[in-house]
Amino acid sequence: MPASHLPHKIIQKDGQLLYTRPSGEMVPMSKLALICRFRIDKICEATDVSPRHLRRMFDQTLGISPKQWLKLERMVIARNILKGDGSIKDIGEYLGFMSQKDFYREFRDFYKIGPSSYRDQQAERVMTQLGWSN
């Protein structure tokens, strides 16, 4: 089958979720999600697939919807970014949240702790590991 006729696919390879373009090029879905601000409509535009086909690809590959995966991916990225020193507001904006309140609510609902408290816990954990806590 010529490369131009290869189907759009989502595959898992080496623990990473990849979108395979008809040309054969593989793009990490996490990168695509970030570029598209975690919006399904923008991902569909970028990949030139319909929302229905995107749902089918996710269902076949992961057994979950794109919306569920985007929420999971966004929260994993948020948790990792919070280990740095960027402001909570800037992190929320970077992840495509409409407001700091929206970011806070979704993070708290997902992890059962707010982003500021999570960051404080991580700092305390590091200090304890270094033997610097009381």
Side-chain angles (χ1 to χ4, degrees), residues 45-100:
E45 282 178 30
T47 58
D48 196 30
V49 299
S50 70
R52 184 171 182 232
H53 187 63
L54 186 67
R55 273 192 311 274
R56 252 193 323 265
M57 290 191 300
F58 267 88
D59 190 47
Q60 290 171 352
T61 306
L62 297 175
I64 62 174
S65 71
K67 184 176 179 178
Q68 290 170 309
W69 179 82
L70 285 169
K71 183 175 183 173
L72 292 169
E73 186 67 17
R74 197 182 213 184
M75 289 296 98
V76 168
I77 292 170
R79 186 186 65 210
N80 290 329
I81 294 173
L82 281 167
K83 293 175 184 174
D85 59 359
S87 76
I88 304 294
K89 181 181 181 212
D90 289 345
I91 293 168
E93 287 175 6
Y94 177 73
L95 294 172
F97 286 94
M98 299 303 287
S99 71
Q100 182 176 346

Side-chain angles (χ1 to χ4, degrees), residues 4-72:
S4 63
H5 297 298
L6 291 174
H8 297 265
K9 291 190 326 188
I10 294 177
I11 62 169
Q12 286 185 311
K13 184 176 182 183
D14 300 327
Q16 190 174 24
L17 196 62
L18 301 169
Y19 166 69
T20 304
R21 297 185 188 275
S23 66
E25 175 191 7
M26 292 185 193
V27 180
M29 281 301 298
S30 57
K31 180 178 179 180
L32 192 57
L34 200 52
I35 290 168
C36 294
R37 314 258 311 152
F38 298 90
R39 291 189 42 193
I40 292 172
D41 60 331
K42 298 293 183 191
I43 291 173
C44 288
E45 282 178 30
T47 58
D48 196 30
V49 299
S50 70
R52 184 171 182 232
H53 187 63
L54 186 67
R55 273 192 311 274
R56 252 193 323 265
M57 290 191 300
F58 267 88
D59 190 47
Q60 290 171 352
T61 306
L62 297 175
I64 62 174
S65 71
K67 184 176 179 178
Q68 290 170 309
W69 179 82
L70 285 169
K71 183 175 183 173
L72 292 169

Side-chain angles (χ1 to χ4, degrees), residues 98-117:
M98 299 303 287
S99 71
Q100 182 176 346
K101 184 178 175 181
D102 291 339
F103 172 51
Y104 182 89
R105 185 182 312 113
E106 190 162 325
F107 191 93
R108 186 190 64 228
D109 289 349
F110 192 84
Y111 288 113
K112 309 300 182 220
I113 187 172
S116 298
S117 298

